[in-house]
Structures are given as structure tokens and as C-alpha cells.
Amino acid sequence: MSSSRSRRGAVGQPAPDAEEAARADTEINSCTAAGLPASARVLFAVVDANGSLVRGLGATSATRLAAGMYQVAFDQDVARAAYVGTVGPAAGGLAPQGSITVASRTGIPNAVFVETYAASGHTDRPFHLAVLA
């Protein structure tokens, strides 16, 4: 059975007009100053609740500093990078509920400081960390 709807795009989205499409095409090539440099890398680390580095890309070590506090080191300066962290299992299954904060590591330009929490405060949790450097 044939449909009169376009098979491209989500149902209900209006088609862009020619001017809008042309503007979007020029922005692809003109925003290099606002985007990541050509030398940019996406780094990541998966860390167990005990601070062990399970796997990663560009990650060189992970250390548990105290309950719910970790340091993750990388093979390059990440002090001015963007960080994204999430509580997540190091292997299969689901991680216990919790929250996470990430920040540059004071005094160590190639490391990220990570804190994990439960409702009761700092608590050890496994996590995933992505760094856009």
C-alpha cells in the first residue's frame, strides 16, 4: 500500500523552504570558529565504583580519592574541554541510582574531577565520562 506522505523526515514536520535549506547549507561550512578544532578528540572513561579504570579512549588512569570522589587522568590537557558524566554500570546490568558532577581537576590539567552521590550524600558509584577536548 502506497502512502502520499514523504518517507523522508519525521511525520508532521513541514518541509524547509529553499531559502532556509540554503542558509543551513552555508552554516555547515562557516561555523568552524565556533566548533571544535580539527585536532579535537573525543575521549572517554568507564570507571568502576572502586575507582578502577575499566576501559576508555585516551584515559590513562582512574583513582578513588574518597567516598564518591574520583580523579580520571587522560593522555592530553583537558582543562578547557567539555565534560559529560553519567552514573552507569562498568560492565553489564544497571548501576544503582545516583547523580554525578564533573569538573576540571584543580592543579592537574590532564585530569577530570568526578563526584557521585546518592540521596544520603557522597557515595561510590560506577560512571561513564566523556571528554570533548
Side-chain angles (χ1 to χ4, degrees), residues 54-69:
V54 176
R55 62 186 176 278
L57 177 63
T60 58
S61 68
T63 306
R64 180 183 177 272
L65 303 172
M69 294 184 187

